[in-house]
């Protein structure tokens, strides 16, 4: 009996993550079809890199927009049959993590941050 390797219906792997050096959301890997999906559904731009083209979101997008676009693109890629790794910090359908790279208004390091008022006590303190 001659066995052959199975044919898998998974296209080339795509990773969508935030580059720790630049802070940009990038997508690496995939086929030309994956590149088209990233551009149409997520608004990713094609950029030349040292190891070939990669895809990134435009500069200056708010974090929530980055998460929304990355999640939308990952679901479109999955629906088209691609294997996708989406960084959990970018997943709009999951709770955001504490590793935010841009300052937010609720951070003590933000210039507009002020301590929230303390709630009134419900019972007498002794």
């Amino acid at each position: 009996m001659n066995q052959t390797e199975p044919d898998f219906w998974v296209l080339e792997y795509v990773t969508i993550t935030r580059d720790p050096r630049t802070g940009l959301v990038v997508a690496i890997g995939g086929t030309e079809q994956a590149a088209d999906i990233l551009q149409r559904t997520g608004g990713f731009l094609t950029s030349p890199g040292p190891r070939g083209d990669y895809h990134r979101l435009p500069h200056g997008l708010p974090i929530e927009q980055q998460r929304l676009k990355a999640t939308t693109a990952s679901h479109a890629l999955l629906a088209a049959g691609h294997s996708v790794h989406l960084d959990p910090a970018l997943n709009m359908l999951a709770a955001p993590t504490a590793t935010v790279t841009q300052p937010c208004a609720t951070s003590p390091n933000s210039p507009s941050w002020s301590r929230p008022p303390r709630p009134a006590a419900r019972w007498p303190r002794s």
Side-chain angles (χ1 to χ4, degrees):
M1 187 166 172
N2 189 4
Q3 292 184 347
T4 61
E5 291 295 318
D7 290 328
F8 293 102
W9 290 96
V10 176
L11 299 174
E12 197 171 332
Y13 200 79
V14 178
T15 299
I16 302 175
T17 189
R18 185 181 310 281
D19 180 18
R21 189 175 49 86
T22 63
L24 290 173
V25 175
V26 297
I28 302 165
T31 61
E32 289 297 321
Q33 180 191 20
D36 183 51
I37 292 169
L38 286 165
Q39 291 168 4
R40 284 186 296 112
T41 63
F44 282 77
L45 306 172
T46 302
S47 297
R51 295 187 181 113
D53 288 349
Y54 69 97
H55 308 281
R56 65 169 178 82
L57 287 178
H59 294 279
L61 287 177
I63 290 176
E64 291 306 311
Q65 278 290 333
Q66 293 174 1
R67 293 180 68 213
L68 178 63
K69 289 178 177 289
T71 302
T72 302
S74 71
H75 283 261
L77 287 166
L78 287 169
H82 294 272
S83 182
V84 180
H85 169 74
L86 175 62
D87 185 341
L90 295 173
N91 189 348
M92 191 70 166
L93 302 177
T97 61
T99 58
V100 176
T101 58
Q102 297 177 358
C104 61
T106 58
S107 169
N109 297 331
S110 174
S112 63
W113 184 80
S114 63
R115 184 173 300 281
R118 297 181 91 172
R122 293 186 175 174
W123 60 89
R125 294 186 182 188
S126 20

